[in-house]
Amino acid sequence: MIVLLPPSETKRAGGDGPPLRIERLSFPELGAVRTELVDEVRALAADIPAARRALGLTAAQDGEIARNADVRAAPTVAAIDRYTGVLYDALDIDSLRGAAAARARGRIAVGSALFGLVRADDPIPAYRLSAGSKLPGKPTLAARWRPALEPLLAEIATEELVVDLRSGSYAGLGRLPEAVRVNVLAEREDGHRTVVSHFNKAHKGRLARALATTRAEPDDAGKVATVARRAGMRVERDGNELTIIVAA
């Protein structure tokens, strides 16, 4: 089973690993697109106003542009330790030990606008590039990633169940219709349900932790739902789509 996570806009600074070596990342078939994008964001960083527009940043966030300028020379750290935020706080990878930690690191992958797809332990630098970023004079990131990423995801899915927890924009970089997809809805006392926006990340993080550490080997959506329920989550299933129901 692969638990496919979205990245986060916020990323831990620094690291203790050597500079980026694209050829050493998992999924080497993505290397050509990775190299192009890394070189492009580095070049773009030399034009601060253009970089702000392309990346959707303000002047107060110019440090993010500096990260891109240094993306080839900066220290790296495992991807699962680079990304931060609500989902990753709920996943809480650092609290895992022994066999549970090994299972989690083996099962987790992260979708990335810059690297396409990385495994939990792939060493990456801090960077700024979102699925909706628009690099000047270039096709959309979805148009560039789909030809490389979709065949790779389809191949992975022939061997392992993929539970896709990515947000819509990142799922659009590499679509995988056969993946198990997860939504989060809030239910009021009268039964009315609404979409959970920001805090859906926390619930997906809890689910990711349960799936990443279970001793079971789920191979369909029903078994994924069973793992979630054992973790105390209320889940409904409709084919390959699961809905986590939380109190409003």
Side-chain angles (χ1 to χ4, degrees):
M1 176 178 58
I2 296 294
V3 182
L4 181 50
L5 304 181
S8 60
E9 296 290 357
T10 55
K11 299 173 185 69
R12 240 177 230 105
D16 55 9
L20 176 66
R21 295 287 298 274
I22 289 176
E23 70 276 10
R24 294 189 178 179
L25 298 178
S26 301
F27 315 114
E29 53 267 72
L30 303 179
V33 183
R34 287 166 170 165
T35 299
E36 289 175 1
L37 291 175
V38 165
D39 290 343
E40 288 168 19
V41 298
R42 286 183 69 226
L44 179 62
D47 185 339
I48 301 296
R52 288 176 188 158
R53 289 192 296 271
L55 303 175
L57 301 175
T58 66
Q61 296 172 295
D62 282 352
E64 299 287 334
I65 300 173
R67 285 180 167 184
N68 284 354
D70 198 35
V71 70
R72 280 200 176 271
T76 58
V77 71
I80 196 63
D81 299 316
R82 177 67 72 193
Y83 297 109
T84 63
V86 174
L87 186 151
Y88 289 87
D89 288 345
L91 172 61
D92 195 14
I93 193 78
D94 289 341
S95 70
L96 300 178
R97 297 290 182 271
R103 280 193 296 272
R105 290 180 176 272
R107 287 173 173 166
I108 289 173
V110 182
S112 164
L114 187 59
F115 300 114
L117 185 68
V118 292
R119 295 276 190 180
D121 282 331
D122 279 336
I124 60 172
Y127 67 91
R128 182 62 177 251
L129 188 69
S130 303
S133 298
K134 299 178 181 179
L135 298 179
K138 301 294 182 180
T140 65
L141 292 177
R144 299 175 74 176
W145 273 122
R146 284 178 183 174
L149 197 50
E150 288 186 352
L152 171 62
L153 290 171
E155 181 180 352
I156 291 171
T158 65
E159 300 176 357
E160 299 182 86
L161 180 71
V162 178
V163 181
D164 191 351
L165 301 181
R166 295 175 297 171
S167 59
S169 58
Y170 282 95
L173 298 183
R175 298 161 298 185
L176 185 62
E178 57 267 46
V180 176
R181 299 174 302 279
V182 179
N183 302 308
V184 183
L185 295 179
E187 184 177 79
R188 297 199 310 234
E189 289 185 2
D190 63 4
H192 180 73
R193 292 177 175 180
T194 57
V195 174
V196 176
S197 54
H198 178 67
F199 287 104
N200 88 87
K201 296 178 181 179
H203 299 293
K204 287 185 176 181
R206 288 178 56 211
L207 176 60
R209 182 181 177 92
L211 294 173
T213 58
T214 181
R215 291 187 178 91
E217 290 290 346
D219 57 7
D220 62 32
K223 293 176 183 176
V224 171
T226 296
V227 172
R229 290 173 185 135
R230 286 174 178 166
M233 308 180 83
R234 180 183 169 196
V235 179
E236 296 177 356
R237 178 191 175 192
D238 181 7
N240 269 359
E241 188 161 318
L242 302 182
T243 301
I244 299 171
I245 308 299
V246 299

